């Protein structure tokens, strides 16, 4: 049974503000059957899949989790907006790196725009520190690739850097999450504005156009990585 389908049809229904009773009636099935589909208890047939795709105006590939794009489009390098002057210069064999760079840059732009809407200085500060630490960690990895690079370039010892930087990232994430939940962190920072941060797949695509595709793909790729790790841990 496809594990993404129940999650996605439930998400779409709630994003559209449609009750389960109305959605079932519109789709020509009982509410009990729709409930089973949404909970993953029963697997739908092809006819219902197509009907649900038409009803929510998305692709079948999106409903099945095969594409992060509601229209089912497969994103290409040229589909991603250019955000910096150097992004168009692709070295031989570097298409994948250039593609991923575009995804990350565009996703970061969307993320910071959404953070600004929260009106929370804490979330902005902690998110910025979190991302800076991520860059710092990967820069140290690249720096260490050549044994001739002198580790005195850094003040934090090489042996402790991975652990302490990961710990610092965890603290940043915890502080940002607290602020997002309305808990005051630091010097009386304002809580996040929940009305301004109502996010749906449709609102992202409408407000951020091509950049939303980058974020949706980053989410899908990241969760695929997490699922692989979870599977390996079992």
């Amino acid at each position: 049974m496809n594990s993404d389908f129940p999650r996605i049809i439930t998400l779409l229904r709630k994003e559209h503000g449609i009750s389960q009773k109305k959605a079932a009636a519109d789709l020509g099935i009982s509410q009990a059957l729709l409930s089973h589909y949404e909970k993953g208890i029963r697997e739908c047939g092809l006819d219902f899949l197509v009907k649900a795709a038409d009803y929510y105006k998305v692709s079948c590939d999106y409903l099945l989790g095969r594409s992060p794009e509601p229209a089912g489009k497969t994103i290409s390098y040229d589909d991603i907006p250019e955000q910096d002057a150097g992004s168009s210069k692709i070295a031989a064999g570097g298409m994948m790196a250039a593609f991923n760079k575009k995804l990350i840059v565009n996703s970061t732009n969307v993320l910071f725009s959404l953070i600004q809407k929260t009106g929370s200085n804490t979330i902005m500060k902690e998110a910025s520190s979190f991302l800076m630490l991520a860059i710092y960690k990967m820069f140290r990895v690249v720096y260490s690739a050549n044994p001739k690079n002198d580790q005195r370039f850094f003040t934090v010892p090489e042996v402790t850097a991975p652990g302490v930087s990961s710990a610092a990232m965890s603290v940043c994430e915890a502080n940002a999450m607290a602020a997002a939940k309305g808990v005051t962190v630091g010097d009386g920072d304002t809580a996040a504005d929940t009305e301004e941060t109502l996010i749906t797949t449709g609102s992202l695509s409408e407000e951020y156009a091509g950049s939303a595709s980058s974020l949706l793909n980053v989410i899908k790729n990241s969760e695929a990585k997490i699922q692989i790790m979870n599977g390996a841990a079992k």
Side-chain angles (χ1 to χ4, degrees):
M1 179 180 293
N2 183 283
S3 60
D4 288 307
F5 180 73
R7 173 182 63 83
I8 294 172
I9 59 168
T10 305
L11 175 65
L12 284 170
R13 179 175 61 75
K14 292 185 175 181
E15 283 187 349
H16 284 76
I18 302 172
S19 69
Q20 194 177 70
K21 181 178 180 180
K22 175 173 172 50
D26 292 343
L27 291 166
I29 61 174
S30 68
Q31 184 176 350
L33 182 56
L34 180 58
S35 176
H36 285 176
Y37 289 161
E38 291 188 353
K39 292 177 180 178
I41 297 174
R42 292 186 60 180
E43 189 169 0
C44 76
L46 180 59
D47 288 345
F48 179 81
L49 175 67
V50 174
K51 187 178 292 186
D54 290 340
Y55 182 64
Y56 291 116
K57 296 181 174 58
V58 297
S59 70
C60 291
D61 276 347
Y62 177 73
L63 284 179
L64 294 173
R66 290 168 54 85
S67 170
E69 295 279 348
K73 181 179 179 182
T74 300
I75 193 171
S76 67
Y77 178 84
D78 292 331
D79 292 327
I80 308 174
E82 298 283 0
Q83 297 292 348
D84 68 289
S87 62
S88 61
K89 300 176 182 178
I90 305 172
M95 177 60 80
M96 180 57 71
F99 180 80
N100 288 335
K101 177 186 175 185
K102 270 190 168 186
L103 288 182
I104 293 169
V105 170
N106 279 280
S107 297
T108 302
N109 288 339
V110 174
L111 175 61
F112 273 96
S113 175
L114 293 171
I115 290 173
Q116 287 180 322
K117 289 185 178 184
T118 70
S120 171
N121 291 329
T122 295
I123 297 178
M124 179 62 76
K125 180 183 71 175
E126 300 296 346
S128 299
S129 296
F130 183 95
L131 294 172
M132 289 179 189
L133 283 162
I135 293 171
Y136 167 79
K137 283 171 66 70
M138 284 300 104
F139 176 77
R140 290 204 67 152
V141 169
V142 175
Y143 189 89
S144 298
N146 190 331
K148 294 181 180 179
N149 289 334
D150 195 328
Q151 286 296 323
R152 285 173 294 186
F153 183 88
F154 306 100
T155 59
V156 177
E158 182 180 17
V159 67
T160 60
V164 294
S165 54
S166 292
M169 291 176 73
S170 294
V171 171
C172 291
E173 183 180 11
N175 288 340
M177 181 61 76
K181 297 296 184 180
V183 178
T184 300
V185 179
D187 300 325
D189 184 30
T190 55
D193 188 335
T194 56
E195 290 300 320
E196 288 295 322
T197 53
L198 179 61
I199 301 169
T200 67
T201 305
S203 67
L204 287 173
S205 298
E206 181 178 346
E207 184 169 358
Y208 298 104
S211 295
S213 296
S214 296
L215 178 60
L216 293 173
N217 275 272
V218 165
I219 292 171
K220 182 173 179 60
N221 293 342
S222 298
E223 294 201 328
K225 180 71 172 179
I226 293 169
Q227 294 295 348
I228 290 173
M229 292 177 63
N230 284 342
K234 292 180 181 179

